[in-house]
Amino acid sequence: MGLNPQQLAAVRHFETPLLVLAGAGSGKTGVITQKIAWLIEKQNYSPTSIIAVTFTNKASNEMRARLKKQLSPQQMKGLTIATFHRLGMEMLHKDGEAIGLRKGFTILDQHDSMTALRELIREGNSAIEERDLQNTISNWKNEFITPEGALAAAVDDNQRVSALLYARYNELLRACNSVDFDDLISLPVEMLREHTDVRDKWRGKVRHMLVDEYQDTNAAQYELVRQLVDKFGAFTAVGDDDQSIYSWRGAKPENLMNLKIDYPNLRVIKLEQNYRSSQRILRCANAVISHNPHEFEKALWSDLGLGDPLRVSACKHTLDEAEWVAAEILTRHYQKDTRWGDFAILYRSNFQSRAFEQALREKQIPYSISGGSSFFDKAEIKDMLAYLKLLVNPDDDTAFMRCINTPRREIGPSTLAKLGQHARNRNISMFAACHDIGLETQISGRPLQRLQRFANWLTLSADNAERGDTLAVVKGVFEDIDYTDWLQQVHDSPPKAQRAIENTGELLAWIERLLTDEDQKDQPLSEVVRSLCLHDMLSRQDDESDDNQVQMMTLHAAKGLEYPHVFMVGMEEELLPHRNSVEADTIEEERRLCYVGMTRARHTLTFTRSRARQQFGETGACEPSRFLADLPPDDVIFMGELDAGDAEASRAAGKDALKGLMNLLAAD
């Protein structure tokens, strides 16, 4: 790709730490990939000495695909392009024994973590909500607060109970040789901090580190980078403080500013030329974001032409807003032959989507909503992954509990309760407890025989997977338990059962691809299982749908995407900015969220708002978003800002025009 002077400077600078302040649409992915290629081709860096870190699978796959077009397979060999969590998983896989992890550890997804916390809460007779506890523990881990530290800082009974449950949860994870999603960052940091030999090994490996979306890093991710690159700071951080919109996930935009403190010789290069949007869109976006304080000043510009004026349409109510947007999309689709997939409807909160779905369906406009259910959310996929987890880590109690009666083995809840209690008393896993001599004092007869039969079968299957044809063993496991017959029994119709069976076939085909992948061949089943679990957690952040459908999504989900024609809907006070942010006085992030939405648009950008909106069963008047007042008047057309009679006449004229278009199409 041809690089502009700032991009070229960012690619070729490597003597000191570098912050690339990359505005929306400024070609940051190209800069990162070109820099990797330049370090390998021109500076003779070994690919094994370069680590590039992203936040999503989609971003890392895009970088890898670009580099494969430029570098030879030999130049790519050993190059690490990964998400933060995949890098952490790799570090724990190689050196986790330093902090007590055994080979074959498993990763608890959010559902499994919630299940474990629910059981701990029940056991302790606590009234704490498991989701609140999960979020609290996640925040503690990302801030490096230990259970002991959390307990010492507790100021009320709720915090004290949460800290005690945090300690019990960590004990359970270690007993099961498992980690959760947050551990994939916090534990590698702990490992690097406390074990000099491990730290020296990794610092010796990393000659240059590139980090994408640096403004989205939390405290743990920032510290992981700091530990890996040492005080010399052999890194390139790419970020944009104006696009930091994930504080609720723990992201800290101040991490960009902290780089200047931790690395006094930091160089800053700004990428301000935008290759996506028209000049008018960028002028308006700059005007909105200019009201936020900035450590690094920048202003996006474009040479793509002035472009169409932005539009702000004031609608009578919520349904009117949705119908107007649908009519606009339909008209442009037929009059200008615009693809459905070129349109995006962006909103602040998920509840806003319902009216737009209804309007699009009524006009037979195809659409897709980002954030639908994951492949990994399906019960049959969760079942299969649980069995695979047990094959590589029989001490995974969460997987054990899912598998023990799937299919049913006539092992009742009272038997499982006794088994669990015995395992806790002995501080061993439930699988290990099945063979413990003392179990016979708690469980006897057929229940004991059934438990031991399951444990023996599992041991044999795990041994076979380690010694023989891994794929054949995996398939054999599901044949042994007659899983296909089980799916036919539990589904209430043959079509549903068939879909579930097809899903299991898709997962087995995926496993086969992972086992035979040229880049990763000969990897053990444990690595395949960890890759699948991590892919599940990370894929929920990605929207890989490229169908020819109108795309509907929240403003948060839209980050990193772009569309020719964007509708930002619900531009009202208490929606954008959100009521919670107004009350908490955190408007700055809401302004950044608005800026992110605006800079998704390439050719046209339309704002809509309702004068009245129904919420919680009541209809109330709505004030226009304060962000609309920031737009330069010369670049915006305001529609519907008339008295009631004129507004209704304007709306009626629009409906007549649409009706004429539909009649014309019907005649064809």
Side-chain angles (χ1 to χ4, degrees):
M1 66 178 261
L3 300 176
N4 66 38
Q6 290 73 32
Q7 291 172 328
L8 188 61
V11 165
R12 293 184 175 178
H13 181 87
F14 67 102
E15 298 87 354
T16 65
L18 173 65
L19 169 60
V20 180
L21 203 66
S26 61
K28 67 181 179 64
T29 302
V31 167
I32 294 172
T33 53
Q34 288 290 316
K35 183 158 193 171
I36 292 171
W38 185 78
L39 289 172
I40 293 172
E41 292 182 314
K42 303 300 183 183
Q43 297 300 313
N44 297 316
Y45 276 43
S46 165
T48 60
S49 69
I50 298 172
I51 294 179
V53 186
T54 69
F55 274 83
T56 65
N57 285 326
K58 189 174 184 179
S60 59
N61 290 340
E62 168 70 14
M63 287 184 191
R64 193 174 290 107
R66 291 194 190 191
L67 282 165
K68 281 184 175 179
K69 294 178 181 178
Q70 184 166 347
L71 299 176
S72 68
Q74 189 63 32
Q75 290 173 316
M76 291 282 293
K77 191 174 182 180
L79 175 64
T80 298
I81 303 176
T83 62
F84 266 106
H85 292 90
R86 187 170 291 278
L87 174 62
M89 183 185 78
E90 179 67 17
M91 294 176 70
L92 292 177
H93 173 60
K94 291 182 175 177
D95 296 297
E97 290 178 345
I99 53 172
L101 276 179
R102 303 188 300 279
K103 294 292 185 184
F105 68 87
T106 50
I107 305 170
L108 265 65
D109 65 15
Q110 190 172 34
H111 178 271
D112 290 338
S113 170
M114 188 80 77
T115 300
L117 290 171
R118 187 181 301 122
E119 178 62 23
L120 291 173
I121 290 170
R122 186 196 62 78
E123 188 181 82
N125 294 316
S126 170
I128 292 175
E129 289 287 332
E130 61 253 26
R131 188 170 299 280
D132 291 341
L133 179 61
Q134 187 177 52
N135 291 335
T136 298
I137 290 175
S138 176
N139 290 334
W140 277 335
K141 288 190 175 187
N142 287 327
E143 295 291 338
F144 305 112
I145 298 173
T146 64
E148 296 78 15
L151 186 60
V155 296
D156 56 37
D157 288 343
N158 188 67
Q159 291 183 8
R160 278 188 284 274
V161 171
S162 295
L164 292 171
L165 288 169
Y166 176 24
R168 187 72 186 90
Y169 173 66
N170 271 359
E171 291 168 5
L172 178 64
L173 289 177
R174 299 303 163 260
C176 296
N177 196 34
S178 297
V179 298
D180 64 16
F181 201 49
D182 297 306
D183 287 332
L184 292 176
I185 308 297
S186 60
L187 289 181
V189 171
E190 177 187 330
M191 189 169 67
L192 295 174
R193 281 176 167 178
E194 297 182 2
H195 297 273
T196 307
D197 55 334
V198 177
R199 182 171 67 246
D200 290 345
K201 169 189 166 182
W202 279 93
R203 285 181 176 175
K205 169 185 169 64
V206 181
R207 194 173 174 192
H208 200 88
M209 189 169 186
L210 302 98
V211 187
D212 192 16
E213 305 286 11
Y214 209 84
Q215 77 282 349
D216 291 337
T217 54
N218 59 28
Q221 290 158 340
Y222 184 92
E223 182 63 13
L224 179 62
V225 173
R226 203 172 71 86
Q227 288 292 330
L228 285 171
V229 301
D230 199 7
K231 61 185 178 182
F232 302 110
F235 69 83
T236 298
V238 182
D240 181 5
D241 51 345
D242 288 333
Q243 295 189 73
S244 181
I245 57 173
Y246 295 121
S247 64
W248 48 279
R249 288 185 189 169
K252 294 181 175 293
E254 58 267 29
N255 283 349
L256 286 173
M257 279 63 87
N258 289 340
L259 288 174
K260 294 174 67 176
I261 300 170
D262 288 339
Y263 304 96
N265 58 342
L266 179 77
R267 181 177 176 188
V268 178
I269 295 176
K270 300 177 185 179
L271 303 185
E272 297 174 292
Q273 182 175 359
N274 175 285
Y275 294 92
R276 174 188 300 157
S277 306
S278 70
Q279 293 173 16
R280 272 192 164 125
I281 291 172
L282 294 180
R283 280 206 301 243
C284 289
N286 287 335
V288 169
I289 202 64
S290 67
H291 292 268
N292 272 5
H294 288 85
E295 181 74 20
F296 305 102
E297 293 292 341
K298 71 176 188 311
L300 292 181
W301 61 275
S302 167
D303 60 6
L304 297 178
L306 186 61
D308 294 340
L310 282 67
R311 298 183 298 168
V312 178
S313 178
C315 303
K316 184 177 179 181
H317 47 63
T318 308
L319 294 180
D320 186 35
E321 178 187 35
E323 288 173 2
W324 186 84
V325 170
E328 286 288 302
I329 291 173
L330 191 67
T331 301
R332 190 174 191 104
H333 170 73
Y334 285 113
Q335 286 188 343
K336 301 195 175 182
D337 198 26
T338 305
R339 293 176 66 256
W340 298 121
D342 287 349
F343 298 100
I345 300 174
L346 310 183
Y347 38 82
R348 176 63 176 84
S349 301
N350 279 308
F351 79 86
Q352 295 173 253
S353 68
R354 291 191 290 272
F356 292 92
E357 281 192 82
Q358 179 180 331
L360 293 173
R361 279 200 304 267
E362 287 177 354
K363 291 180 172 56
Q364 299 183 343
I365 298 173
Y367 66 90
S368 173
I369 297 183
S370 174
S373 63
S374 163
F375 175 71
F376 293 90
D377 284 333
K378 302 180 189 304
E380 60 272 14
I381 302 304
K382 284 184 171 293
D383 290 345
M384 293 180 72
L385 279 178
Y387 271 99
L388 295 176
K389 288 177 182 179
L390 277 185
L391 285 180
V392 301
N393 178 16
D395 292 331
D396 187 333
D397 281 355
T398 305
F400 183 93
M401 288 294 290
R402 187 174 188 100
C403 295
I404 191 68
N405 273 321
T406 306
R408 294 188 184 93
R409 295 184 175 87
E410 298 182 24
I411 300 172
S414 61
T415 298
L416 291 174
K418 291 176 183 176
L419 176 67
Q421 187 60 51
H422 183 74
R424 282 192 289 274
N425 292 341
R426 298 275 297 184
N427 197 28
I428 56 178
S429 69
M430 296 177 77
F431 166 78
C434 290
H435 292 298
D436 190 74
I437 295 175
L439 183 63
E440 294 179 2
T441 63
Q442 308 295 322
I443 306 171
S444 60
R446 286 187 177 179
L448 179 61
Q449 292 171 8
R450 290 173 184 139
L451 283 174
Q452 292 179 338
R453 188 183 306 128
F454 175 72
N456 289 335
W457 169 79
L458 182 62
T459 300
L460 179 62
S461 299
D463 287 345
N464 289 338
E466 214 169 290
R467 296 196 184 103
D469 182 341
T470 304
L471 183 63
V473 172
V474 168
K475 291 180 176 178
V477 164
F478 297 104
E479 291 171 3
D480 285 350
I481 64 175
D482 295 325
Y483 191 64
T484 298
D485 291 342
W486 166 253
L487 291 176
Q488 291 170 335
Q489 292 173 34
V490 297
H491 285 88
D492 56 15
S493 70
K496 288 182 181 178
Q498 185 57 36
R499 281 195 295 273
I501 292 168
E502 289 171 358
N503 288 334
T504 64
E506 186 177 337
L507 181 62
L508 288 172
W510 192 347
I511 293 170
E512 183 173 10
R513 289 195 298 273
L514 287 172
L515 288 169
T516 57
D517 189 329
E518 280 300 314
D519 293 337
Q520 307 176 65
K521 62 183 179 181
D522 300 326
Q523 61 179 336
L525 181 61
S526 58
E527 189 66 25
V528 170
V529 172
R530 279 199 292 271
S531 292
L532 287 170
C533 292
L534 192 57
H535 193 284
D536 170 22
M537 289 180 266
L538 292 171
S539 64
R540 298 171 193 273
Q541 304 171 15
D542 298 347
D543 177 20
E544 300 184 7
S545 170
D546 57 359
D547 294 337
N548 188 20
Q549 301 172 315
V550 175
Q551 299 297 309
M552 295 174 57
M553 68 194 73
T554 64
L555 288 162
H556 284 100
K559 187 168 178 294
L561 305 176
E562 60 180 74
Y563 298 95
H565 308 287
V566 169
F567 292 84
M568 285 179 62
V569 300
M571 292 294 295
E572 302 144 27
E573 287 292 300
E574 300 195 351
L575 263 184
L576 186 68
H578 196 276
R579 177 190 304 173
N580 294 343
S581 296
V582 174
E583 293 174 352
D585 195 23
T586 54
I587 299 297
E588 289 178 14
E589 180 153 335
E590 294 293 294
R591 191 177 292 280
R592 293 195 292 268
L593 193 56
C594 182
Y595 173 82
V596 165
M598 294 174 70
T599 52
R600 300 312 94 199
R602 291 170 54 195
H603 303 316
T604 70
L605 175 58
T606 303
F607 300 100
T608 65
R609 68 177 184 87
S610 294
R611 293 194 187 89
R613 184 175 296 274
Q614 186 177 45
Q615 281 186 279
F616 311 114
E618 295 184 3
T619 300
C622 302
E623 292 295 321
S625 168
R626 68 189 69 187
F627 303 144
L628 295 177
D630 298 332
L631 301 175
D634 291 345
D635 291 318
V636 183
I637 296 174
F638 288 88
M639 309 164 65
E641 303 287 356
L642 312 167
D643 63 57
D646 288 344
E648 287 305 314
S650 174
R651 191 70 62 201
K655 288 181 178 179
D656 287 343
L658 178 61
K659 185 177 179 181
L661 174 63
M662 297 305 291
N663 289 337
L664 180 64
L665 292 170
D668 290 342

